[in-house]
Amino acid sequence: MISKNDLFDIIMEIIPQYYKSEVGIGEKISINIDGDVYVFNSFRKNTPKLNRLVKFIENNCERFLNIDLNSRSLEKQLIQRYIVSEWIKIKGYDGNWFEFFDYCDTIENKTYENSSIGFNFIYSPNEVVDSISILKDAKKQKILDVLTESQYTYFKMGKDWKFIAYEQIHLSDIYKGNEEYKLLPEFLYPYKHILCDEECGITRTKRGDLIIFNKQGIIASNRKSSWKIYEPLTFKNALVDIFQSSGCQHYRIACNMVDIVFDLSYRRHGALIIFDLDETFNDKIQNQGSILDGTDNILYSALESSIALINLNTRFNKDIRKSLILELASVDGAIVFNKHGKVKSFGSIVKNHINANMQEGARSTAAVSAYNYGMSPVFKISSDGEIQILFSHKCNITNKIEDRQILFL
């Protein structure tokens, strides 16, 4: 059975903007777990919808604590599903989400032509139609395993997962100029463009990642049987708080980092992104030729004028040049930005810090070393998609938030 402390840990893990710290950025929030009050930090004040979710958890604590499946992992998974299901409904997308979760379970270890099963759904719970249920019929029809797995095709489903249409997205429907921050990985942009306010998109990648999103961004995601939920705009502003607490006052840099880390995570590209806000990091880089300004590396010198056009401090997609950033970040070593959102170096090898010697893996050692040298924030994306952000704030207390499925981030 799950203990009260276990339940509290599940809550901390599932909502990325929540974290434990004696002193930290943002708001102090409490939750009553079966008579015991637990206090934690949130980067931003809870939205009314997050308050509703906290109240739901409080009202269902007894049910959660009495779940006994003789398996800690299964008990945790079931509690997560209750929380995620309620969150999606709070966001406005009613329905039998446990039926959907069961469907995902049926294809978890299923393949077609030795390839995992992926899909793209548009869910419109307010549309009532007299048709077949895609989720129920899909269990019987193998042909459905290969439909809607490309980037531009999808099933549209109404109330009770009833079939409405089998469609494709036309290029004329998407990429209509520069837009607001998207707060989700780029491969989902086409679906975001066609969503109505009352609809959400659901994608399962062929790597097994599950993402539920609306016009604002990701609202829930699952990786390796672990869920995260997001209030997209609040999550974006949590990153803004992290940057501001580290001394970077450029709002747009933080906003653009949300998309970048999501893209790296879902592409399974390990990466290390460091922000040198005080311009003091150069001597901590072992391969000095990776520093663009004054480099003696012939290739780096040739690339310098193109890389100089990259700009994180903008709201316009074309000026960010995100595709270049994603490739530079995928080079072995770290990509380093200055406080203005410009690339200082890439492929940089960070000198080991004495306090980072116990880390497992070169990327983790480099991330902790950079942090201990005073760099903040530091983004580490592992090759299996996990995101870790190391940062400091004005109280000089070290904190980190972790997104163990995307998370998202």
Side-chain angles (χ1 to χ4, degrees), residues 67-215:
I67 292 174
D68 188 0
L69 303 176
N70 292 318
S71 168
R72 186 62 59 86
S73 62
L74 289 178
E75 291 163 357
K76 176 180 177 180
Q77 184 180 86
L78 181 56
I79 292 171
Q80 284 187 332
R81 288 186 175 187
Y82 274 118
I83 295 173
V84 171
S85 175
E86 183 65 21
W87 175 244
I88 299 172
K89 292 175 184 178
I90 289 173
K91 294 293 287 183
Y93 311 105
D94 201 7
N96 187 348
W97 286 95
F98 271 77
E99 182 182 6
F100 172 75
F101 299 151
D102 287 344
Y103 166 70
C104 291
D105 286 342
T106 66
I107 62 173
E108 181 66 32
N109 298 309
K110 193 176 180 182
T111 61
Y112 185 89
E113 298 290 345
N114 297 315
S115 180
S116 298
I117 307 301
F119 59 73
N120 297 296
F121 296 158
I122 300 297
Y123 181 51
S124 186
N126 296 329
E127 291 198 43
V128 180
V129 293
D130 184 14
S131 182
I132 65 169
S133 168
I134 285 293
L135 300 190
K136 293 178 181 177
D137 200 54
K139 297 176 184 178
K140 305 174 185 176
Q141 300 292 334
K142 194 173 182 179
I143 191 173
L144 295 179
D145 292 344
V146 294
L147 301 183
T148 76
E149 66 175 11
S150 72
Q151 189 173 10
Y152 297 106
T153 61
Y154 63 92
F155 283 132
K156 183 173 181 179
M157 296 181 291
K159 184 177 176 61
D160 297 326
W161 309 102
K162 295 295 184 69
F163 173 80
I164 296 177
Y166 173 44
E167 275 290 354
Q168 76 170 65
I169 299 173
H170 299 277
L171 292 180
S172 59
D173 295 330
I174 60 177
Y175 303 122
K176 297 176 181 177
N178 288 300
E179 295 189 67
E180 74 286 355
Y181 311 109
K182 294 182 174 62
L183 310 181
L184 76 170
E186 188 168 332
F187 69 90
L188 295 178
Y189 287 4
Y191 299 96
K192 174 185 167 72
H193 278 273
I194 65 168
L195 286 176
C196 299
D197 289 337
E198 67 275 9
E199 296 174 337
C200 67
I202 310 170
T203 289
R204 187 183 192 271
T205 71
K206 296 180 79 65
R207 295 180 186 270
D209 299 327
L210 184 64
I211 311 164
I212 302 170
F213 57 97
N214 62 12
K215 291 177 68 173

Side-chain angles (χ1 to χ4, degrees), residues 211-223:
I211 311 164
I212 302 170
F213 57 97
N214 62 12
K215 291 177 68 173
Q216 288 188 329
I218 295 180
I219 58 176
S221 61
N222 180 281
R223 172 179 288 156

